[in-house]
Amino acid sequence: ETQGGVEFERFFQTTPGDLIDDGLYGSLAIAAYGGEHRKVSMRLIAEALGARRLQQSKSVKRVKSVIRSVFGSLMKKANET
């Protein structure tokens, strides 16, 4: 309500009961919380909308491994001097 919105309950008060009973708001009503719960809420909303976690390809994993290895070697050499 603070930014021009309405309480969610208002939708149920103004929507015909048969539409609610048929599940009109079933997939539309997803709770979203702020603060420490925001990240999880956004992820759940994204998943409900069809988002899927991407799998990293073997080549991406290999590149990351090489970068970590090279960075580790550079840090080791820097600490030796």
Side-chain angles (χ1 to χ4, degrees), residues 7-28:
E7 291 290 327
F8 191 72
E9 184 179 330
R10 180 77 175 130
F11 290 102
F12 292 99
Q13 295 169 346
T14 58
T15 302
D18 60 326
L19 293 177
I20 294 172
D21 293 342
D22 286 342
L24 175 64
Y25 296 120
S27 61
L28 297 176

Side-chain angles (χ1 to χ4, degrees), residues 33-46:
Y33 301 96
E36 64 183 306
H37 306 292
R38 179 175 168 71
K39 186 175 181 179
V40 172
S41 291
M42 294 301 110
R43 184 174 186 161
L44 292 173
I45 290 169

Side-chain angles (χ1 to χ4, degrees), residues 3 14 27 38 47 58 61:
Q3 296 182 7
T14 58
S27 61
R38 179 175 168 71
E47 287 176 358
K58 289 181 182 180
K61 289 179 183 178

